[in-house]
């Protein structure tokens, strides 16, 4: 079975590799399953398939499916996740073809992009059963309550699909949905996301509602695409094809919204754009309950489609690093080649998992001119969802952003606070950031931890980095090897 075929194909693939554990104890989706998923994730445990869901006979629940980057990379059949981003930037873009053969090769390379295009099919696997709104279908799905003070049950990984009312382009984002009752919910698309942009476009056109197809549970590539920050107006389902390595299949619902054909469950409904209702509280990925009750638009459900013996996939949030941190890292790796195309001076990037993705970015650059670090900060703060990053630390090319000790050394030794900090007081910000001063509004901090050029340092040369004499270094290295034979390293800072 192709590991990226659908959710159950992925689960079978994990099972064959002993990467998923079945849990038969009866557990409730209200607090119990989320608690187990979090604890397993914090303990370095595997993906889980829960087969005995309290009050939801006939369902299975899958969790922690984004177990590790390695598993995800293998499931997506690539040697490095960066290869996925590279698919979008064929080498032909950078090598002007000079011979006819090269021209033909370049055209072939561009043609290959077409295999990632989405296509419509007449029937989806989710269409095996239909529950109409009158029968309160949302009551029949084992949505999680993830934290005791959450405002209700939530769909925590719904792929919310809309068509932009202006261009018809397909949006697909994971925006949690708070369940109000059997046929109503609240869609938490934050103001900076494409769902909210579609809402603005629709309101400009005088529309009262937009049709949605909320797809639950799919293959890992499609699910990763739904959380990926693809700028409008690139079709989000095209990007799903890029991640999967082949086009995604869609089904047009009666309401006109496209659904993912291999989904386990699809909720067909309408988002009522002017009916804003309180959303939250919800214990989110910053490890806090959101500031209670921002207003978001109402979802009216018309019907729910589901496969026989459906599997519900839910993600859980809490203080990092949880499953969403793995997704964030995967997105970082996939987007690294794209960032490099826009900012070739960038050597490496690291969104540390504990930095909640939007909290902290460390980036190393090959510095060439005075003010270069601040140029890179400005560019990243102007670029799609990387603009939501609160704190950016820029280091020189020889400091690995993943080596936090080295980063601390660079910050400590190279930063003069008067000169090297950029503070933006009042800026758009991740809607959930607990430090925001108003809704989606906070500030930014940039730390230029690069070595300074004379122009940046009152004309003075930066001190020279110490370096060993190469002959002596080689001789001592051999001696060191002998001395260390059979010894582990000492943890010097442990009392
Ligand atoms: C588990 C999980 C839950 C998320 N919940 C939300 C949410 O409730 N609202 C939101 O705007 N973004 C949420 N996100 C982030 C978006 O999915 C992400 O920013 C994505 O790029 C949005 O798609 P868009 O750029 O097409 O709008 C969540 C991400 C994950 C991994």
């Amino acid at each position: 079975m192709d590991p990226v075929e659908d959710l159950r194909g992925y689960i079978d693939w994990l099972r064959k590799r002993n990467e998923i554990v079945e849990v038969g104890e009866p557990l409730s989706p209200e607090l119990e399953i989320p608690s187990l998923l979090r604890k397993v994730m914090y303990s370095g445990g595997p993906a889980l398939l829960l087969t005995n869901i309290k009050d939801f006979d006939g369902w299975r629940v899958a969790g922690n499916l984004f177990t590790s980057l390695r598993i995800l990379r293998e499931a997506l059949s690539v040697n490095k996740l960066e290869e996925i981003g590279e698919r979008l930037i064929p080498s032909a873009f950078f090598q002007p073809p000079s011979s006819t053969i090269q021209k033909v090769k370049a055209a072939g390379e561009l043609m290959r992009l077409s295999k990632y295009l989405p296509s419509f099919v007449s029937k989806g696997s989710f269409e095996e059963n239909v529950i109409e709104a009158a029968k309160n279908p949302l009551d029949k799905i084992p949505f999680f309550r993830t934290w005791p003070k959450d405002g209700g049950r939530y769909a925590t990984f719904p792929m919310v699909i809309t068509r932009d009312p202006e261009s018809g382009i397909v949006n697909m984002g994971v925006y949690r949905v708070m369940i109000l009752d059997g046929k109503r919910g609240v869609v938490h698309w934050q103001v900076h996301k494409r769902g909210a942009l579609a809402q603005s476009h629709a309101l400009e056109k005088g529309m009262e509602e937009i049709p949605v197809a909320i797809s639950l549970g799919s293959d890992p590539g499609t699910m990763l695409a739904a959380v990926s920050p693809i700028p409008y107006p690139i079709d989000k389902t095209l990007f799903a094809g890029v991640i999967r390595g082949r086009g995604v299949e869609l089904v047009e619902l009666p309401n006109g919204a496209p659904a993912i054909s291999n989904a386990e469950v699809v909720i067909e409904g309408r988002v009522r754009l002017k009916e804003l209702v309180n959303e939250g509280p919800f214990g989110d990925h910053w490890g806090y309950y959101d500031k209670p009750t921002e207003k978001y638009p109402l979802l009216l459900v018309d019907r729910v489609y589901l496969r026989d013996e459906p599997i519900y996939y839910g993600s859980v949030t809490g203080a990092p690093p949880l499953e969403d941190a793995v997704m964030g890292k995967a997105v970082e790796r996939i987007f690294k080649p794209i960032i490099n195309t826009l900012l070739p001076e960038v050597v490496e990037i690291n969104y540390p998992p504990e930095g909640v993705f939007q909290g902290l970015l460390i980036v190393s650059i090959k510095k060439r001119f005075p003010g270069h670090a601040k140029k890179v900060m400005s560019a990243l703060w102007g670029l799609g969802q990387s603009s939501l990053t609160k704190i950016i630390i820029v280091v020189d090319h020889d400091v690995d952003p993943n080596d936090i000790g080295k980063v601390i050394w660079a910050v400590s030794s190279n930063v003069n606070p008067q000169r090297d900090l950029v503070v933006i007081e009042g800026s758009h910000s991740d809607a959930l950031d607990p430090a925001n001063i108003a809704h989606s509004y906070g500030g930014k901090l940039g730390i230029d931890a690069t070595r300074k050029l004379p122009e940046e340092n009152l004309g003075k040369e930066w001190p020279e980095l110490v370096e060993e004499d190469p002959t002596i270094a080689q001789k001592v290295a051999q001696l060191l090897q002998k001395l260390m034979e059979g010894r582990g390293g000492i943890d010097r800072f442990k009392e």
Side-chain angles (χ1 to χ4, degrees):
M1 158 85 66
D2 182 341
V4 296
E5 191 54 46
D6 57 10
L7 184 70
R8 15 192 105 188
Y10 180 45
I11 289 170
D12 285 347
W13 180 85
L14 288 170
R15 196 183 279 121
K16 275 188 206 126
R17 297 168 157 244
N18 201 21
E19 303 279 12
I20 191 164
V21 169
E22 283 199 17
V23 179
E25 282 85 355
L27 285 175
S28 168
E30 301 230 4
L31 302 179
E32 290 182 350
I33 292 174
S35 171
L36 178 67
L37 290 175
R38 272 193 296 267
K39 287 193 171 57
V40 168
M41 205 67 193
Y42 288 139
S43 316
L48 297 185
L49 181 67
L50 298 110
T51 54
N52 191 348
I53 316 301
K54 255 195 225 161
D55 302 325
F56 292 90
D57 281 352
W59 283 86
R60 286 171 291 165
V61 168
N64 293 349
L65 295 178
F66 292 81
T67 321
S68 72
L69 287 188
R70 174 189 56 82
I71 291 175
L72 198 51
R73 177 182 60 69
E74 288 173 5
L76 297 174
S77 306
V78 287
N79 295 315
K80 279 171 81 177
L81 287 167
E82 287 181 31
E83 282 174 25
I84 294 172
E86 285 161 6
R87 287 174 183 159
L88 276 177
I89 29 179
S91 57
F93 284 5
F94 306 103
Q95 290 161 6
S98 50
S99 69
T100 309
I101 290 178
Q102 276 173 318
K103 275 184 192 159
V104 171
K105 248 174 90 182
E109 210 176 343
L110 292 177
M111 279 286 285
R112 267 199 296 279
L113 278 175
S114 66
K115 77 172 175 208
Y116 306 132
L117 288 171
S119 58
F120 277 89
V121 293
S122 56
K123 202 167 167 62
S125 46
F126 60 85
E127 289 179 83
E128 285 169 336
N129 305 277
V130 187
I131 312 177
E132 292 295 330
K135 292 199 168 151
N136 291 316
L138 298 185
D139 288 344
K140 300 179 172 45
I141 304 175
F143 295 119
F144 296 168
R145 178 194 292 271
T146 50
W147 289 103
K149 293 184 183 169
D150 282 359
R153 297 190 306 138
Y154 276 85
T156 53
F157 204 94
M159 294 178 281
V160 179
I161 306 181
T162 53
R163 271 187 198 282
D164 188 274
E166 222 173 55
S167 57
I169 280 162
V170 179
N171 296 315
M172 173 173 69
V174 170
Y175 317 120
R176 71 187 189 221
V177 174
M178 181 175 164
I179 308 302
L180 292 178
D181 56 35
K183 46 179 169 279
R184 295 183 316 144
V186 191
V187 182
H188 181 258
W189 52 41
Q190 298 155 6
V191 63
H192 310 116
K193 308 298 170 70
R194 291 175 56 162
L197 180 67
Q199 175 174 6
S200 302
H201 288 162
L203 287 171
E204 280 163 20
K205 283 182 169 293
M207 293 163 66
E208 297 280 329
E209 58 185 34
I210 40 179
V212 280
I214 301 179
S215 305
L216 306 177
S218 180
D219 59 273
T222 302
M223 295 202 288
L224 193 59
V227 296
S228 295
I230 311 301
Y232 178 82
I234 298 173
D235 188 296
K236 204 70 184 277
T237 54
L238 163 67
F239 193 74
V242 173
I243 297 189
R244 286 157 47 95
R246 69 203 152 83
V248 78
E249 289 186 344
L250 303 169
V251 172
E252 185 149 295
L253 297 185
N255 71 2
I260 300 296
S261 83
N262 69 15
E264 290 287 323
V265 179
V266 170
I267 300 169
E268 179 176 2
R270 295 159 278 144
V271 179
R272 299 283 303 163
L273 305 172
K274 292 181 183 163
E275 286 181 55
L276 303 182
V277 289
N278 286 341
E279 201 268 358
F282 178 77
D284 69 28
H285 63 171
W286 289 87
Y288 287 88
Y289 285 107
D290 294 347
K291 298 219 178 74
T293 56
E294 302 289 355
K295 289 200 184 304
Y296 282 92
L298 184 72
L299 165 75
L300 292 184
V301 174
D302 292 316
R303 60 195 57 81
V304 167
Y305 306 83
L306 56 169
R307 290 184 78 162
D308 291 338
E309 298 178 16
I311 304 177
Y312 176 75
Y313 164 65
S315 197
V316 290
T317 45
L322 285 168
E323 190 189 17
D324 56 338
V326 180
M327 296 175 205
K329 247 316 159 202
V331 168
E332 173 202 296
R333 289 298 91 197
I334 290 172
F335 278 75
K336 164 83 186 348
I338 298 168
I339 287 183
N340 269 134
T341 309
L342 302 169
L343 299 170
E345 62 269 62
V346 167
V347 177
E348 189 48 282
I349 55 173
N350 177 23
Y351 284 95
E354 292 78 7
V356 197
F357 205 64
Q358 257 108 24
L360 176 66
L361 166 64
I362 306 163
V363 50
S364 63
I365 62 164
K366 190 94 176 83
K367 179 167 170 172
R368 286 198 304 113
F369 49 79
H372 204 156
K374 288 175 185 159
K375 177 254 187 193
V376 169
M377 289 174 202
S378 312
L380 291 167
W381 278 328
L383 202 64
Q385 278 187 47
S386 91
S387 74
L388 296 174
T389 312
K390 181 161 62 176
I391 302 169
I392 298 181
I393 301 175
V394 185
V395 293
D396 283 302
H397 65 279
D398 51 1
V399 175
D400 179 358
N402 293 293
D403 185 342
I404 298 298
K406 278 272 165 57
V407 172
I408 292 172
W409 170 68
V411 170
S412 310
S413 53
N414 294 349
V415 171
N416 175 333
Q418 270 184 319
R419 174 195 53 203
D420 299 327
L421 300 188
V422 177
V423 176
I424 302 179
E425 285 177 33
S427 170
H428 75 301
S429 162
D430 175 42
L432 305 181
D433 185 338
N436 280 348
I437 49 178
H439 183 35
S440 301
Y441 190 72
K444 307 269 185 220
L445 171 66
I447 302 175
D448 174 359
T450 60
R451 295 183 287 275
K452 303 300 171 304
L453 295 166
E455 294 88 337
E456 299 168 317
N457 195 29
L458 302 173
K460 285 182 291 173
E461 289 290 333
W462 199 253
E464 191 182 342
L465 281 169
V466 291
E467 232 181 310
E468 297 269 357
D469 174 275
T471 325
I472 294 179
Q474 206 183 3
K475 183 174 162 188
V476 170
Q478 285 163 3
L479 191 55
L480 173 74
Q481 213 178 3
K482 228 164 92 189
L483 280 172
M484 294 299 289
E485 238 163 45
R487 283 176 175 273
I490 300 169
D491 186 346
R492 295 193 197 287
F493 305 105
K494 196 167 172 190
E495 213 179 68

